């Protein structure tokens, strides 16, 4: 699958884990582990506010503020390409003003031919959450009159290690770059942050159950990320 990266991922961490890694503010939340997150569902997103970084739920699949048509006519927006994110009308305003971090325990990718694909799971070698580069947006639904917040994961070319499995990968933001990504001005060398992971040991990988891509599988099933 060359075009759908990243199409499934996991958020199976505790509040204390994500708080320690990303220094989020606010009262502790009871976070439900999710091991098979699909586009258009709600995800955890970390964005900057005056007091620090807050964790809020958003729809996975960015809806730009200017969108006027029904949501079912929206193109696929759960990923944004790093190479064009600053210019594409769908993402450029969010890239300039509303960058975020999407915490993840890991993500999935498939190898092989259609009908016989093998799912792989990727996570941090030390088990900490990953910090995926993201963008967020606020959209006003003209029918319901309600506001909806949504987000997308920024993806770019894979490094040599990841290229064995897929030619694209989520952009990983390193801890020393959290503030630069979240609060830096567009054009403030943000392009340097949208590059492949520099180290071949940035991720670990193992093969998991083919049940991952079945829509009937619950997204909180921890068996999905166990090695097969």
């Amino acid at each position: 699958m060359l075009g759908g990266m990243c199409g499934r991922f996991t958020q199976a961490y505790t509040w204390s884990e994500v708080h320690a890694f990303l220094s989020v503010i606010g009262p502790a939340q009871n976070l439900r582990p999710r091991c098979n997150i699909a586009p258009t569902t709600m995800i955890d997103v970390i964005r900057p506010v005056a007091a620090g970084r807050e964790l809020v739920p958003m729809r996975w699949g960015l809806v730009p503020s200017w969108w006027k048509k029904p949501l079912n006519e929206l193109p696929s927006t759960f990923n944004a390409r790093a190479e064009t994110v600053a210019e594409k009308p769908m993402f450029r305003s969010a890239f300039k003003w509303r960058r975020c971090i999407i915490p993840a325990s890991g993500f999935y990718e498939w190898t092989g031919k259609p009908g016989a694909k093998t799912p792989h799971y990727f996570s941090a070698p030390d088990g900490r959450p990953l910090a995926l580069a993201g963008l967020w947006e606020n959209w006003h639904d003209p029918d319901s009159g309600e506001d909806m917040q949504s987000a997308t994961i920024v993806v770019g070319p894979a490094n040599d290690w990841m290229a064995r499995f897929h030619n694209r990968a989520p952009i990983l933001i390193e801890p020393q770059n959290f503030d630069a990504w979240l609060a830096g001005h567009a054009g403030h060398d943000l392009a340097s942050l949208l590059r492949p992971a520099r180290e071949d040991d940035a991720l670990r990988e193992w093969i998991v159950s083919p049940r991952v891509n079945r829509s009937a599988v619950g997204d909180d099933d921890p068996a999905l990320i166990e090695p097969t």
Side-chain angles (χ1 to χ4, degrees):
M1 185 172 68
L2 297 181
M5 185 72 179
C6 161
R8 298 271 175 149
F9 75 108
T10 67
Q11 293 185 320
Y13 38 68
T14 63
W15 172 261
S16 60
E17 288 172 331
V18 76
H19 178 271
F21 184 49
L22 286 150
S23 302
V24 292
I25 61 172
Q29 300 181 32
N30 184 18
L31 302 176
R32 177 174 70 88
R34 299 177 63 198
C35 299
N36 192 18
I37 300 173
T40 74
T41 61
M42 300 300 287
I43 60 173
D44 295 337
V45 173
I46 292 173
R47 65 181 177 185
V49 292
R53 304 171 188 155
E54 66 173 358
L55 187 151
V56 293
M58 295 190 188
R59 175 189 188 269
W60 185 23
L62 188 140
V63 184
S65 60
W66 47 261
W67 186 256
K68 303 299 183 185
K69 299 179 182 179
L71 278 184
N72 60 12
E73 297 184 29
L74 184 73
S76 175
T77 58
F78 58 88
N79 287 167
R81 294 176 67 90
E83 300 91 328
T84 58
V85 71
E87 291 84 31
K88 288 285 187 182
M90 195 71 69
F91 303 117
R92 64 189 177 194
S93 178
F95 176 69
K96 187 174 183 179
W97 302 111
R98 289 173 292 279
R99 294 180 302 278
C100 62
I101 288 174
I102 298 174
S105 302
F107 61 91
Y108 299 99
E109 191 46 66
W110 285 257
T111 58
K113 298 180 180 180
K117 286 186 174 290
T118 300
H120 303 254
Y121 185 66
F122 301 86
S123 65
D126 59 5
R128 291 191 306 170
L130 300 169
L132 309 185
L135 312 173
W136 72 276
E137 188 64 272
N138 188 72
W139 175 69
H140 184 76
D141 187 339
D143 294 327
S144 69
E146 298 180 350
D147 287 342
M148 183 183 73
Q149 296 178 341
S150 60
T152 185
I153 294 173
V154 182
V155 298
N159 65 13
D160 290 342
W161 181 87
M162 185 68 195
R164 298 178 298 158
F165 307 98
H166 200 283
N167 62 353
R168 310 287 292 174
I171 297 294
L172 305 180
I173 303 297
E174 299 175 358
Q176 65 268 27
N177 295 324
F178 287 170
D179 287 337
W181 173 250
L182 291 173
H185 299 293
H188 185 64
D189 201 26
L190 292 176
S192 68
L193 305 180
L194 298 180
R195 294 175 180 171
R198 290 176 291 181
E199 305 295 336
D200 287 344
D201 61 355
L203 296 167
R204 58 180 173 171
E205 168 272 338
W206 59 82
I207 295 174
V208 294
S209 169
R211 294 190 304 123
V212 166
N213 209 30
R214 298 175 188 169
S215 59
V217 175
D219 72 359
D220 58 355
D221 182 358
L224 293 174
I225 63 174
E226 295 177 358
T228 59

